[in-house]
Amino acid sequence: MSIYQTPTLAAFKLPVIDNEPMKNYGPGSDERKKLEQALTEMMAQDPLEVPIVINGEKIYSGSTNQQFNPSDNKKAVCTYHEADAVLTQKAIDGCLKAKVKWEALPFNDRAAVFLKAADLLSSPKYRYKMMAATMIGQGKNIWQAEIDAAAELCDFWRFNCKYAEEMYSQQPPKNAPGNWNRTEFRALEGFVLGISPFNFTAIGGNIPSAPALLGNVVLWKPSPSAVLSNYLVYELLEEAGLPNGVIQFVPGDAETVCNVALASPQFSSLHFTGSTHVFRMLWKKIGENICNYKSYPRIVGETGGKNFHLLHPSLDEAGVRHAALQTIRAAFEFQGQKCSACSRCYVPSSQLAEFKKQILAEHAKITQGPVQEFQHFSGPVINKMAFDKIKGFLNSAVSDPDSEIIAGGKYDDSVGYFIQPTIILTKNKRSKTMVEEIFGPVVTIFVYDDADLEPICTEISDATEYGLTGAFFARDRDSIVTCSNLLRNAAGNCYINDKCTGAVVGQQPFGGGRASGTNDKAGSWSLLVRFMSTRTIKENFVPIEDFHYPSNLM
């Protein structure tokens, strides 16, 4: 027997899986001291040189680009090498070669890599370094980095193993006499192209890891604005024992990398998080190449959103205050750069005065500054392109006779890309900021008549092309049921008396339909199913003695 052919000597059970405990980082705490040290060290060092990694080999192509600190936009955090078409093809060839051994490994050996990765990330060795890279490179404050780069990534790695174990255990419930029926969950034939965004380090880690856990191999193209943290994720996976070539780390020009990958007959799946526009372009290109592929590719994507909060007329004063506080969090955490961020809010006319009073009072408490100044709730947006786009929305609101900026509205990119959290009040339910995705710290309020709940729910559902997240705030059960039914298709993640952001792996699987994506629900079993190809096996134990059936007899 080959040493690579592992015998099945037991049915292993995973350790108990639970959500990663989150740390608070209060003044004087041990975790704050360790994070401060990691931030100080990272900010003092020269920009890290990040290579392409193909088959475990670090490649310095000489064609470089830089990722900058959005809080200090003239300071680079890393210089990264970019893959050209030749290197991209080399990465594809290498991962296909690695796939032979990787997919043949028993599940427990593959799972061990990601369980170890989660434990490494949870430890001081990686947690604070990963958070520091996310804060400095992507503009997150402590809490946003903790729930993303530490807790959520640990959760993805652990819960994916749990869900995979449960799926592998699903077998046909019946066997005819003399037969044994079985089901195999194979990896896809070919390779997966993983394209990850800047806004969540955890998504950067999950994009290649989820398919790889199931025996797939992945060509991973990280976002240019998250290369530093994503490279640390790759290094951590290497330390956890991921074999060379299973995940190829390929930063580079998006068009170059994608053109090579999507032209390959071995392309089997796209795992994507990013803009709706780019996702549609990639889908179209896949369609144009469909006759070239060995298999029909699995397309898995989570894209944009125009997420809402709705206040029901039944709310009392405490309920209105709660909705205002949750809107501050949903609209302005991480500067509105979450796919799930609230950017439109519908308030009944009877509650406008109280809601406006509460949200303006809370908005006045928001301070903004660089991420290393821990007191700030708000930081920078990611880059110049984002800054200019959001600025354009604010200027449009200023010139719109139906809209009024009632808080914020200022911006400054002289040091960092800072845009004040902004609240707009509009008389036009289809104004630009009510229907277009902004991806920045801007929320627009529209006031509706108390008697028009059903029409406003229809408006919420129909006003945009998206269907990602939404929340409504209501007091009594009848009102909750009514809103839930009217808004059934408006969002893939629906929140009742809570903000429309903050999905937790193992608790609220995340994703939406319509223009927001394929709704395959990251953080659940349903995402993993997309990277499996099922084989049904029927084994007969008893030979037949005749080809006739009893019905043929006379």
Side-chain angles (χ1 to χ4, degrees), residues 93-257:
D93 295 340
C95 69
L96 291 173
K97 186 176 180 180
K99 185 173 187 284
V100 176
K101 284 176 59 176
W102 176 245
E103 69 175 334
L105 275 182
F107 169 66
N108 59 279
D109 288 305
R110 297 197 307 270
V113 172
F114 297 100
L115 293 174
K116 181 176 180 178
D119 285 353
L120 285 172
L121 178 57
S122 180
S123 72
K125 179 177 181 179
Y126 272 102
R127 190 186 203 102
Y128 305 110
K129 186 178 180 181
M130 193 74 73
M131 287 180 63
T134 300
M135 292 172 70
I136 297 167
Q138 292 145 260
K140 294 200 170 188
N141 64 21
I142 293 180
W143 182 246
Q144 295 303 312
E146 166 69 12
I147 62 177
D148 165 27
E152 186 172 46
L153 184 49
C154 285
D155 288 349
F156 273 136
W157 282 334
R158 291 174 178 143
F159 277 90
N160 283 346
C161 292
K162 171 183 169 62
Y163 294 133
E165 180 186 51
E166 292 172 354
M167 285 190 294
Y168 284 134
S169 71
Q170 299 300 309
Q171 294 296 312
K174 295 291 184 180
N175 297 283
N179 284 254
W180 185 18
N181 300 313
R182 306 189 293 278
T183 299
E184 285 184 343
F185 301 94
R186 304 169 298 180
L188 304 177
E189 287 191 275
F191 69 93
V192 177
L193 173 61
I195 300 176
S196 56
F198 79 85
N199 58 339
F200 281 90
T201 301
I203 297 176
N206 194 51
I207 286 283
S209 296
L213 171 65
L214 305 172
N216 295 286
V217 289
V218 187
L219 188 74
W220 177 20
K221 197 206 85 62
S223 166
S225 296
V227 173
L228 178 61
S229 64
N230 287 190
Y231 181 61
L232 294 181
V233 170
Y234 181 83
E235 287 190 314
L236 190 157
L237 287 169
E238 277 192 325
E239 183 172 338
L242 186 75
N244 293 338
V246 172
I247 294 175
Q248 309 279 41
F249 185 76
V250 188
D253 173 71
E255 187 173 3
T256 300
V257 173

Side-chain angles (χ1 to χ4, degrees), residues 299-344:
I299 304 175
V300 179
E302 190 266 298
T303 61
K306 190 66 183 173
N307 312 295
F308 63 88
H309 279 187
L310 167 68
L311 277 67
H312 188 276
S314 65
L315 289 176
D316 57 13
E317 188 172 309
V320 172
R321 172 171 169 75
H322 174 69
L325 288 168
Q326 294 285 23
T327 302
I328 288 283
R329 282 186 168 180
F332 302 138
E333 284 182 338
F334 188 38
Q335 300 73 258
Q337 296 174 117
K338 299 181 180 183
C339 306
S340 57
C342 176
S343 62
R344 52 185 176 134

Side-chain angles (χ1 to χ4, degrees), residues 121 279 359 386 400 474:
L121 178 57
F279 188 52
I359 199 167
D400 179 5

Side-chain angles (χ1 to χ4, degrees), residues 67 86 95 103 262 288 380 383 405:
Q67 178 190 345
V86 173
C95 69
E103 69 175 334
L262 299 184
E288 292 169 351
N383 55 31
I405 294 177

